[in-house]
């Protein structure tokens, strides 16, 4: 069943905690977030998928990604749904269609980075993400979840890793999915998107003052997930 989008007010009682995971591209947020959510019996959502979905839709509809008003208006016209997989990952559906097959190519990645700097789009996505997470029992990953979307999240993690390691991970992922890729090009595109995220005026990527910073360069993503699960359980989490 689709996760219900809550009304504008947060429910009086959440059914579980909100765990926010932020950090740069290719750092393993999705893998870690998915593992943590599965163990806690929470839902998981990768919010990057929402920006990617809108970028893909803009390209398909012939709306230039630099046209701020047109892209923000497009976001508002679409019917957004988030349907859980059996592993409780919420997948984005637009107008009843799964967007998953279209999101990973480099053109969509670059366009999503431009779309994410659009203030109207960010306001729209933030409202959507708050309604999606309002009931709690969710792991949400992105760039501004702990700093802006859920500043009151019970747990905030900022996940980081050395850029060469991040590029190697993303490169392996792309190759495993059958895509053609060059390591150097993947590294450059990643650095460009990081820079866009760090320097944009609205809700840039930054570390919340109360976030726990974890460096995954020399840890497996299972080890990172274990650390987070222990942290949540120490604080009385499920
Ligand atoms: O995480 P992923 O790389 O899939 O995200 C795609 C793009 O969406 C990123 O380059 C980033 O600019 C943007 N994004 C964002 N805020 C989020 C999630 C993603 O700006 N919460």
């Amino acid at each position: 069943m689709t996760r219900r989008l809550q009304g504008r007010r947060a429910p009086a009682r959440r059914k579980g905690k909100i765990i926010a995971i932020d950090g740069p591209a290719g750092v393993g947020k999705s893998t870690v977030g998915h593992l943590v959510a599965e163990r806690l019996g929470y839902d998981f959502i990768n919010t990057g998928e929402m920006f990617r979905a809108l970028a893909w839709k803009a390209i398909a509809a012939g709306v230039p990604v630099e046209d701020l008003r047109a892209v923000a208006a497009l976001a508002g016209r679409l019917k957004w749904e988030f349907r859980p997989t059996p592993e409780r990952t919420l997948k984005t559906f637009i107008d009843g269609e799964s967007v998953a097959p279209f999101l990973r190519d480099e053109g969509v990645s670059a366009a999503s980075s431009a779309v994410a700097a659009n203030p109207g789009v960010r306001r729209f996505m933030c409202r959507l993400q708050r309604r999606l997470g309002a009931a709690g029992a969710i792991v949400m990953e992105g760039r501004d979840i702990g700093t802006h979307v859920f500043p009151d999240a019970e747990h905030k993690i900022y996940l980081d890793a050395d850029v060469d390691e991040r590029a190697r991970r993303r490169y392996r992922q792309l190759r495993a999915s059958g895509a053609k890729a060059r390591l150097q090009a993947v590294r450059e595109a990643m650095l460009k998107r990081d820079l866009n995220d760090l320097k944009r005026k609205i809700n840039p990527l930054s570390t919340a003052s109360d976030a726990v910073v974890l460096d995954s360069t020399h840890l497996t993503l299972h080890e990172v997930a274990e650390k987070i699960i222990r942290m949540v359980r120490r604080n009385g989490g499920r």
Side-chain angles (χ1 to χ4, degrees):
M1 210 189 50
T2 306
R3 186 170 170 113
R4 272 196 55 206
L5 290 168
Q6 302 286 326
R8 289 181 201 294
R9 284 174 180 280
R13 263 174 69 84
R14 287 179 177 161
K15 53 185 183 180
K17 296 180 174 187
I18 296 177
I19 302 175
I21 306 181
D22 292 300
V27 78
K29 300 186 294 296
S30 270
T31 306
V32 167
H34 172 78
L35 289 169
V36 171
E38 209 174 19
R39 286 275 294 283
L40 297 175
Y42 282 11
D43 286 336
F44 167 68
I45 183 150
N46 161 353
T47 59
E49 198 174 287
M50 298 160 76
F51 292 93
R52 286 174 181 270
L54 180 59
W56 166 72
K57 202 70 193 177
I59 294 168
V63 175
V65 289
E66 319 73 56
D67 188 337
L68 300 184
R69 282 164 70 128
V71 177
L74 175 68
R77 277 202 303 279
L78 302 171
K79 179 170 178 245
W80 296 82
E81 282 174 279
F82 304 93
R83 301 187 192 165
T85 62
E87 301 82 38
R88 306 191 58 166
T89 292
L90 299 173
K91 300 307 281 178
T92 307
F93 282 67
I94 289 185
D95 296 337
E97 185 186 12
S98 165
V99 295
F102 312 112
L103 302 188
R104 290 289 145 192
D105 81 64
E106 278 304 308
V108 172
S109 293
S112 68
S113 181
V115 159
N118 178 328
V121 168
R122 289 213 82 81
R123 279 192 294 273
F124 177 87
M125 294 299 184
C126 179
R127 277 198 301 274
L128 206 52
Q129 288 155 10
R130 285 187 179 152
R131 292 175 58 198
L132 200 54
I138 195 160
V139 178
M140 193 175 277
E141 70 99 322
R143 304 293 191 285
D144 61 343
I145 309 304
T147 50
H148 185 74
V149 179
F150 284 111
D152 65 339
E154 284 85 354
H155 294 280
K156 300 181 187 179
I157 292 97
Y158 187 92
L159 197 54
D160 210 350
D162 175 79
V163 64
D164 291 319
E165 179 57 25
R166 292 193 283 122
R168 274 193 296 273
R169 285 181 191 162
R170 182 54 60 92
Y171 170 76
R172 283 196 296 264
Q173 245 173 18
L174 285 167
R175 295 299 293 246
S177 71
K180 286 208 183 88
R182 281 191 314 112
L183 180 59
Q184 191 56 25
V186 169
R187 188 181 187 280
E188 275 163 26
M190 188 174 260
L191 281 174
K192 191 161 175 231
R193 284 202 295 130
D194 284 353
L195 200 63
N196 285 348
D197 285 331
L198 288 164
K199 69 168 201 234
R200 72 167 165 252
K201 290 206 175 65
I202 177 159
N203 311 340
L205 171 64
S206 67
T207 314
S209 58
D210 51 351
V212 172
V213 180
L214 293 176
D215 190 312
S216 75
T217 311
H218 302 295
L219 295 174
T220 67
L221 297 179
H222 275 89
E223 288 168 332
V224 175
E226 271 310 316
K227 275 181 185 281
I228 298 173
I229 291 160
R230 275 204 299 275
M231 201 165 82
V232 174
R233 292 205 165 133
R234 255 202 318 272
N235 285 287
R238 249 203 276 177

